[in-house]
Amino acid sequence: MTGYAIMAALIMRLKLFLTPHICIFVGIIFSSKLALPFFSPTLKFRSLLPYVSNNQLRYALIVGLIAGMSYHGVSNVKHEFSRLGEYSDYAQEQLMLWIIENTNPHDAFLGSMPTMANVKLSTGRPIINHPHYEHVKARTRTKLVYSLFSRRPLTEVYSIISQMNATYAIVEEGWCWAKRRKGCNVYEAFDTEEPQYITRPPTCPLLIRNPHPFKIVFKNAVYVILKI
């Protein structure tokens, strides 16, 4: 536990490793039976407080912990409650509503992993690539799905995608047109994997302009749904 505490003090993100230990420690303190060994008379610090009972010492420790947590905790909670705002993504709402109203419950979708997570959560439709599972088959499947954003010919991409038992593919226009720093586009990542296509234009814009053999069935300012 000491090691995790040092890690949490040095690197804020690593406090997640300390949190389970703190929960266990606090639970032990609140239990009179489990906490008894920590207040044994044989321990050196108990000789400094000979007239304080174990229960009194335990309650004092509990109060001290709560006070320490409240020192910054109360102000942090007040700050969080004072924040007012509203999250709105109208384009994504349109996408989800169209899927719910115009597709069958067993129609499967594929696309970028962030969008697939929302499709699964909001519509309950099957998805081909899930961002919350990590294994070799999932990585391989996702790489094949991301051929939508490579430089491969459309017919070749269609051949790959059509073998994945998906009904629809979702493409974000931002992934096609966004200007990113050199080396940060998805198709540039494919250039190292597929140098034979490096002279070809990116596939993604073609999916929006002239997607044959795919078929556009939905389009708004951000998303395009292609029927496979």
Side-chain angles (χ1 to χ4, degrees):
M1 182 174 175
T2 304
Y4 288 121
I6 294 172
M7 292 166 61
L10 295 176
I11 304 174
M12 183 60 68
R13 288 189 177 185
L14 296 183
K15 66 182 180 182
L16 64 93
F17 293 114
L18 181 64
T19 302
H21 296 80
I22 293 176
C23 294
I24 295 170
F25 181 66
V26 172
I28 290 173
I29 292 174
F30 274 88
S31 171
S32 58
K33 293 182 179 180
L34 295 177
L36 190 61
F38 292 95
F39 304 107
S40 172
T42 59
L43 297 177
K44 291 183 178 180
F45 81 91
R46 283 301 278 122
S47 63
L48 302 175
L49 302 166
Y51 303 109
V52 180
S53 69
N54 286 342
N55 279 338
Q56 289 174 331
L57 189 59
R58 186 163 56 88
Y59 293 147
L61 185 56
I62 292 170
V63 171
L65 282 172
I66 294 175
M69 293 167 58
S70 302
Y71 181 70
H72 287 296
V74 172
S75 59
N76 289 338
V77 170
K78 287 182 178 179
H79 174 69
E80 291 299 323
F81 276 111
S82 68
R83 296 171 61 181
L84 298 176
E86 180 181 358
Y87 174 76
S88 178
D89 190 342
Y90 183 63
Q92 191 171 97
E93 290 177 18
Q94 286 181 316
L95 174 73
M96 300 306 165
L97 286 173
W98 188 91
I99 292 173
I100 292 171
E101 295 172 357
N102 296 276
T103 64
N104 296 317
H106 300 294
D107 288 340
F109 288 78
L110 57 79
S112 67
M113 289 194 290
T115 301
M116 290 302 98
N118 288 321
V119 169
K120 182 64 176 177
L121 177 65
S122 301
T123 70
R125 300 298 191 267
I127 56 175
I128 301 301
N129 51 319
H130 200 294
H132 300 152
Y133 294 109
E134 177 64 27
H135 51 76
V136 174
K137 289 184 178 180
R139 289 196 297 269
T140 303
R141 191 184 309 124
T142 298
K143 184 178 178 181
L144 293 174
V145 170
Y146 275 41
S147 65
L148 291 165
F149 310 106
S150 66
R151 296 181 187 268
R152 289 172 177 257
L154 267 179
T155 53
E156 191 172 330
V157 172
Y158 182 82
S159 177
I160 294 172
I161 298 301
S162 60
Q163 296 177 28
M164 303 185 73
N165 297 321
T167 314
Y168 299 96
I170 300 177
V171 176
E172 293 99 319
E173 290 199 33
W175 286 49
C176 302
W177 311 111
K179 293 182 179 179
R180 298 184 175 91
R181 290 182 300 172
K182 184 174 177 59
C184 293
N185 285 296
V186 180
Y187 63 80
E188 290 177 304
F190 274 96
D191 289 344
T192 59
E193 295 282 333
E194 302 170 346
Q196 66 272 28
Y197 300 115
I198 199 168
T199 58
R200 294 185 55 84
T203 305
C204 189
L206 299 177
L207 291 170
I208 297 171
R209 292 173 180 165
N210 184 21
H212 183 77
F214 294 96
K215 179 183 178 182
I216 295 177
V217 293
F218 171 84
K219 183 177 182 180
N220 64 11
V222 178
Y223 299 97
V224 174
I225 298 181
L226 303 168
K227 181 72 178 293
I228 300 172

